[in-house]
């Protein structure tokens, strides 16, 4: 919704109408998150029109990023890429997700991390290694799942392969598998 209202400022009045109708803390927090996503300048313009509770929720979101960072640090930031894709249909979020398939740096699987932890051998470098693995797996799963459901995702992945845009060999192999799987009908009863 944040992207919808960011790209259509003429609807900000409607957003304020929606905000005024929210009765629960959870709903006010959701509206505040959308307003926060519009950017600091727009949020400040809309702020005087909000009730005190929604303004407090907006204040609580001040430290959240407005854009997807250059370096993905967690799976939630992958979700932001999907939000951007579904709101705009642009290829760039798909490119970034494909880029996460070939993350640089060492990786630790959850089982390897757990084994190290049980032996008392966890180092400060181990959590980033685990996060590398988890982000790679999450990107793979989400691209694969959406390639099965969304023709534009398939089209972008096919085009990226055809143009040679996917330089990392493992990433290219994963995308090829995704596309094969997406073209295979699922059996009923799964």
């Amino acid at each position: 919704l944040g992207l919808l209202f960011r790209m259509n400022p003429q609807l900000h009045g409607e957003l304020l109408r929606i905000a005024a109708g929210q009765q629960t803390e959870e709903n006010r927090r959701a509206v505040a998150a959308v307003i926060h996503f519009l950017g600091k300048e727009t949020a400040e313009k809309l702020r005087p029109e909000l009730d005190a509770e929604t303004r407090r929720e907006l204040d609580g979101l001040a430290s959240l990023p407005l854009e997807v960072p250059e370096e993905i640090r967690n799976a939630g930031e992958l979700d932001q890429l999907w939000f951007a894709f579904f709101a705009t249909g642009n290829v760039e979020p798909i490119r970034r997700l494909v880029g996460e398939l070939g993350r640089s740096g060492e990786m630790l699987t959850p089982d390897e991390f757990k084994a190290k932890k049980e032996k008392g051998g966890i180092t400060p470098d181990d959590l980033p290694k685990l996060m590398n693995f988890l982000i790679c797996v999450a990107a793979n799963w989400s691209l694969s799942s959406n390639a099965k459901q969304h023709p534009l995702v398939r089209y972008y992945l096919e085009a990226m392969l055809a143009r040679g845009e996917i330089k990392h060999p493992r990433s290219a192999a994963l995308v090829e598998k995704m596309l094969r799987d997406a073209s295979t009908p699922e059996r009923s009863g799964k």
Side-chain angles (χ1 to χ4, degrees):
L1 287 175
L3 282 170
L4 170 74
F5 285 108
R6 183 187 286 180
M7 295 169 63
N8 294 284
Q10 72 276 13
L11 297 177
H12 289 173
E14 181 65 15
L15 177 58
L16 288 170
R17 188 190 68 70
I18 292 168
Q22 303 312 306
Q23 301 298 314
T24 67
E25 181 180 336
E26 182 179 2
N27 289 352
R28 284 189 289 272
R29 186 174 303 124
V31 169
V34 170
I35 293 170
H36 171 74
F37 188 75
L38 299 177
K40 187 174 184 174
E41 184 178 320
T42 302
E44 288 304 315
K45 284 181 187 175
L46 299 178
R47 184 180 181 75
E49 304 296 322
L50 301 172
D51 61 52
E53 292 88 3
T54 305
R55 284 195 303 269
R56 272 194 294 280
E57 293 295 339
L58 187 58
D59 291 342
L61 299 172
S63 65
L64 290 179
L66 297 175
E67 301 292 334
V68 181
E70 286 300 313
E71 181 183 335
I72 300 295
R73 298 163 300 202
N74 59 59
E77 291 169 347
L78 294 177
D79 289 340
Q80 287 180 270
L81 291 171
W82 283 113
F83 297 154
F85 168 74
F86 284 114
T88 66
N90 291 339
V91 68
E92 193 54 36
I94 302 301
R95 281 192 182 110
R96 294 224 24 222
L97 284 152
V98 168
E100 295 305 318
L101 297 174
R103 284 182 72 87
S104 61
E106 294 180 55
M107 295 190 188
L108 272 178
T109 68
D111 289 340
E112 292 168 335
F113 185 83
K114 182 180 176 185
K116 283 187 84 169
K117 187 174 183 179
E118 288 171 356
K119 292 178 184 177
I122 294 290
T123 67
D125 293 334
D126 289 335
L127 191 55
K129 291 176 187 177
L130 173 64
M131 197 55 64
N132 271 345
F133 177 83
L134 295 174
I135 291 169
C136 182
V137 168
N140 185 34
W141 174 84
S142 67
L143 280 164
S144 182
S145 176
N146 281 294
K148 291 176 184 173
Q149 301 172 42
H150 202 293
L152 189 56
V153 173
R154 279 193 307 278
Y155 172 79
Y156 284 154
L157 292 174
E158 289 167 353
M160 291 170 72
L161 275 176
R163 291 182 185 136
E165 289 181 34
I166 306 172
K167 303 297 184 202
H168 193 279
R170 182 174 174 270
S171 299
L174 287 170
V175 169
E176 287 172 358
K177 182 180 181 331
M178 284 174 207
L179 292 170
R180 278 192 310 275
D181 292 348
S183 66
T184 305
E186 289 195 30
R187 289 183 244 147
S188 60
K190 269 191 158 181

